[in-house]
């Protein structure tokens, strides 16, 4: 057992070393240059703030998308207005049924907060990519940009009936996880060395 655990730790340290070497390599190919790594880090942190700001606005009613006094802490629902207003799509009845429920509000707000903090800090980016893609897919389905395009020829909130910001955000989060983006201007390396992360590789960034 001890030999097996030591073997796992050695393999993991080799992976960390490979990532560190990749980050500093200036060659073309699958490895990013230092400048590219910094550029991706800027996009990562910026997108993280988008999610974090959405959480703060909906939680405290900062009078942007959420009016003053209508925040989550004031008893407002961050999902009721949006989900109850879904007018088309195969999940329309499902969204109407869960609109404003306590568990839907809680999961949505925890998702915004968790994704925002993870992206800004650069940790758990694999889990974040999965959770963020799921959240973006649900929001895309709720807005259903195909609806008006198919019925009237006019787009719904987007000039493209298929690709909108939800898809782009999801793809960006997948890119961050695949490129170890948390190692640059983030806590990715520190996160990877934590014992519980070393023993649960699915938690790696």
């Amino acid at each position: 057992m001890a030999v097996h655990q030591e073997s796992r730790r050695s393999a993991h340290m080799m992976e960390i070393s490979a990532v560190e070497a990749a980050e500093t390599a200036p060659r073309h190919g699958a490895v990013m240059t230092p400048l590219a790594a910094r550029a991706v880090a800027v996009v990562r942190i910026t997108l993280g703030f988008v999610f974090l700001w959405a959480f703060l606005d909906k939680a405290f009613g900062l009078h942007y998308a959420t009016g003053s006094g209508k925040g989550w802490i004031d008893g407002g629902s961050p999902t009721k207005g949006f989900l109850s207003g879904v007018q088309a799509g195969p999940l329309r009845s499902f969204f109407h049924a869960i609109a404003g429920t306590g568990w839907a509000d809680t999961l949505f707000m925890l998702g915004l907060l968790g994704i925002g903090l993870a992206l800004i800090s650069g940790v758990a980016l694999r889990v974040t990519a999965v959770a963020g893609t799921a959240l973006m897919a649900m929001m895309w389905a709720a807005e259903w940009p195909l609806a008006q395009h198919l019925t009237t020829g006019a787009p719904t909130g987007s000039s493209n009936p298929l690709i909108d910001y939800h898809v782009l955000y999801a793809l960006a989060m997948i890119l961050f996880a695949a490129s170890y983006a948390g190692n640059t201007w983030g806590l990715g390396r520190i996160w990877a060395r934590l014992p519980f992360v070393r023993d649960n590789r699915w938690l790696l960034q």
Side-chain angles (χ1 to χ4, degrees):
M1 180 65 71
V3 174
H4 178 66
Q5 291 179 345
E6 185 61 30
S7 177
R8 289 178 59 188
R9 290 192 182 93
S10 297
H12 182 68
M13 292 307 296
M14 290 176 63
E15 180 178 336
I16 294 174
S17 298
V19 171
E20 292 174 347
E23 194 177 62
T24 57
R27 303 297 180 185
H28 293 288
V31 176
M32 288 194 297
T33 65
L35 180 60
R38 295 187 189 100
V40 172
V42 169
V43 178
R44 187 200 85 231
I45 294 169
T46 302
L47 184 56
F49 185 69
V50 169
F51 282 92
L52 184 59
W53 178 259
F55 168 81
L56 294 173
D57 181 61
K58 294 179 185 302
F60 302 105
L62 300 182
H63 204 55
Y64 286 85
T66 305
S68 180
K70 296 181 180 180
W72 196 28
I73 64 169
D74 300 309
S77 169
T79 66
K80 185 175 182 179
F82 177 60
L83 294 181
S84 61
V86 174
Q87 299 180 358
L91 299 178
R92 176 175 176 270
S93 59
F94 169 72
F95 288 134
H96 286 182
I98 68 172
T101 59
W103 66 267
D105 287 345
T106 300
L107 285 179
F108 178 62
M109 294 298 282
L110 288 178
L112 292 178
L113 177 62
I115 292 169
L117 292 177
L119 290 176
I120 291 173
S121 62
V123 304
L125 295 184
R126 291 184 185 178
V127 176
T128 301
V130 174
T133 297
L135 179 61
M136 290 298 99
M138 294 292 285
M139 293 181 68
W140 185 90
E143 292 192 6
W144 199 244
L146 288 169
Q148 288 190 21
H149 180 78
L150 293 176
T151 57
T152 68
T156 304
S158 172
S159 59
N160 190 310
L162 294 175
I163 307 298
D164 65 359
Y165 72 95
H166 298 105
V167 178
L168 295 179
Y169 286 0
L171 291 175
M173 286 184 278
I174 293 171
L175 171 64
F176 301 149
S179 61
Y180 293 89
N183 284 355
T184 302
W185 295 346
L187 303 176
R189 287 194 181 92
I190 296 174
W191 174 260
R193 293 189 178 101
L194 295 177
F196 73 93
V197 176
R198 289 203 309 259
D199 293 336
N200 298 276
R201 299 184 63 184
W202 60 273
L203 288 172
L204 282 171
Q205 59 147 326

